[in-house]
Amino acid sequence: MSSEIGNMLHLSVFGESHGRGVGAVIDGLPAGEPIDLDELQRFCDRRRPGSSHLATARCETDVPEFVSGLHAGATTGFPLCFLIRNADVRSGDYAGFTDTPRPSHADFTAAVRYGGHADMRGSGHFSGRLTAPLCVAGGIARQLLARRGVLVGAHLRAVGDVEDKPFDSRHLDGRELTAPGERSFPVISEEAGRRMQELIERVRAEGDSVGARVECAVTGLPTGLGSPMFDGVENRLAAALFGIPAVKGVSFGAGFDASRMRGSEHNDPFVMCDGRVTCSKNDAGGVLGGITTGMPVVFEVAFKPTPSIGMPQRTVSLSMGREVDLEIQGRHDPCVGLRAVPVCEAVAAFVMLDLMMEGDANGTVRNP
C-alpha cells in the first residue's frame, strides 16, 4: 500500500492536512518497551509548526493521542494507534486549486489519479503535515534503538549555497551526532547557521523559497544488517525517505562525488582497531553490498524549494483549458529543510529498528 512501510515493523500513516487529524498505526513493536512520552513530545516539537519564526505560522500542538497499544507507559505488543488532531486550519486559502493547480504541487496529478475525489485542502494526504505522525513513530523507534546502543542524529547540511560542516563519518561520537538537534537552529557550525538564517529571511521577504540538504547518520549499528540487490540498507532507507514530501534526492557516503573519484581515492581500506575489522575512512557511508559494515551509516537528503511562494506564477485553468496567472495565499515554510531535520531522523530510526528486528530474527547480525 502507498502509505505503508516496514517488514517486521509495519507503519501505516493516515489523515489529511485539513481533516480531523493525522496519525498512524504501528504493528510489530515488542511488548514491554517503556515509552518516555515527555521525551517523545520534545522530539516531535522540533518539527512542530509555529515553533520557529523561520517556519510556517500555522500553530499546532502536535500532541499524539494514543488509542491502543500503549498501557501503563509501555508497549503492549499489539498494534499501536495514535491520532494527532488538526486545529489551526484555514482551508479557504486553498480554494480553487482543483481548477488551477499550483506549480510543483500534487494538485494536478492528484486530480487525474483520484478523479477529483481527494481531499486536497492544505494539500491533503500529500502535505508536509503527514510528517507529524512520522515523527511520533520515529521518536518511539529512537527510544528503542537507544536502549540497544544505536543513536540517530541529523543537521541542516546546507540551505541554498550556504553549507554547514559535515559529520565526521568515521569518528562520529554521540555528542557530535545529537548536539545539532538540541539547538534552536540544527547545525554544527553556528556561523554557518547564522548565514543560513539570513538567507531564509531574505528569500521569504522576496516572496520566494529556497532548497536545502539534511545530513543524517546512525551510529552503533552491528555489522551484517541488510541484504543484497533490492532489499539493502540503502534501498530501504531511500524508499522511506522519499516518502517525506519535497525530497528530491538521497545519497550515501561520498554520494555523487564518487562519480568524480578514482577507485584508489574512493575505496575504504580495511584496518584492525581494538580487535575488530573497521575502515580507515567511510566514503561508502557504512554500507557495502546493501549490508552494514559497522561504520556509521551516513547519508544526505536533498529537499526542493517550497513550491508555495508569494510570487505570481503561471498555471492553467482545467475548466477553461487555458493558461492563467496564479497567486498563492496562506502560511508556508520558506525552507522546508529546517523542520525536515527531525523527520529524517525519525524515518531513519524506524527503518533501522525494522532492520535490527530482522537481524535479531534471522541471527545473521554479528561484529567480526
Side-chain angles (χ1 to χ4, degrees):
M1 299 294 289
S2 65
S3 300
E4 297 182 357
I5 58 170
N7 287 3
M8 293 194 68
L9 187 64
H10 301 273
L11 174 68
S12 178
V13 181
F14 63 83
E16 291 85 23
S17 179
H18 287 194
R20 293 181 62 184
V22 294
V25 177
I26 309 171
D27 195 7
L29 286 170
E33 291 281 355
I35 304 300
D36 186 331
L37 295 181
D38 290 333
E39 179 184 338
L40 178 62
Q41 192 61 55
R42 285 192 295 272
F43 178 72
C44 293
D45 284 346
R46 291 171 51 197
R47 189 223 70 96
R48 183 171 56 84
S51 59
S52 169
H53 70 284
L54 296 173
T56 172
R58 178 173 177 173
C59 188
E60 300 281 2
T61 59
D62 280 3
V63 177
E65 300 176 18
F66 291 94
V67 179
S68 65
L70 194 66
H71 178 69
T75 56
T76 64
F78 297 101
L80 186 151
C81 176
F82 62 88
L83 172 69
I84 303 171
R85 297 187 185 275
N86 295 326
D88 187 17
V89 299
R90 294 193 336 207
S91 300
D93 291 338
Y94 297 85
F97 294 147
T98 53
D99 183 59
T100 54
R102 296 165 295 172
S104 292
H105 275 280
D107 299 337
F108 173 68
T109 52
V112 174
R113 173 68 174 81
Y114 300 103
H117 295 290
D119 177 1
M120 292 301 291
R121 296 172 300 165
S123 294
H125 195 68
F126 299 90
S127 170
R129 181 76 181 134
L130 274 295
T131 60
L134 290 182
C135 278
V136 176
I140 291 172
R142 287 174 94 245
Q143 294 188 28
L144 271 65
L145 286 174
R147 294 184 197 123
R148 292 156 175 78
V150 178
L151 298 179
V152 184
H155 69 114
L156 200 51
R157 179 69 175 86
V159 172
D161 59 359
V162 180
E163 298 200 352
D164 190 18
K165 293 169 53 181
F167 281 138
D168 181 341
S169 63
R170 182 170 187 253
H171 303 288
L172 185 56
D173 62 34
R175 183 58 191 161
E176 179 188 358
L177 180 64
T178 59
E182 297 171 1
R183 300 185 179 119
S184 59
F185 197 82
V187 290
I188 297 173
S189 166
E190 292 186 4
E191 169 58 23
R194 182 187 62 78
R195 291 187 288 120
M196 288 179 185
Q197 292 177 71
E198 290 175 350
L199 176 57
I200 295 172
E201 291 279 20
R202 187 161 65 250
V203 299
R204 179 168 64 176
E206 296 169 354
D208 213 339
S209 63
V210 63
R213 300 198 322 269
V214 172
E215 183 181 38
C216 187
V218 187
T219 64
L221 291 168
T223 305
L225 291 178
S227 301
M229 294 289 288
F230 306 116
D231 202 29
V233 173
E234 294 146 317
N235 308 58
R236 299 270 285 274
L237 276 170
L241 289 163
F242 271 109
I244 303 172
V247 169
K248 300 303 290 183
V250 178
S251 66
F252 292 83
F256 284 94
D257 288 341
S259 66
R260 296 187 287 270
M261 303 165 95
R262 297 190 178 191
S264 55
E265 182 184 4
H266 180 265
N267 289 351
D268 298 332
F270 289 109
V271 295
M272 295 300 299
C273 181
D274 298 327
R276 296 179 64 248
V277 177
T278 184
C279 298
S280 62
K281 60 186 185 67
N282 193 20
D283 279 340
V287 183
L288 291 171
I291 300 169
T292 55
T293 65
M295 300 285 284
V297 170
V298 183
F299 57 93
E300 287 194 8
V301 186
F303 289 84
K304 69 180 182 181
T306 313
S308 289
I309 58 176
M311 295 179 169
Q313 300 181 78
R314 294 291 285 174
T315 185
V316 297
S317 167
L318 300 180
S319 61
M320 294 186 290
R322 62 179 177 83
E323 295 182 11
V324 295
D325 290 325
L326 174 70
E327 290 194 22
I328 298 174
Q329 306 298 320
R331 303 160 294 177
H332 309 284
D333 293 272
C335 178
V336 297
L338 174 57
R339 293 201 293 135
V341 172
V343 183
C344 291
E345 293 180 30
V347 170
F350 192 90
V351 172
M352 287 305 178
L353 181 58
D354 190 25
L355 284 163
M356 290 277 286
M357 292 173 64
E358 287 182 22
D360 290 344
N362 61 35
T364 61
V365 177
R366 57 196 180 92
N367 281 307

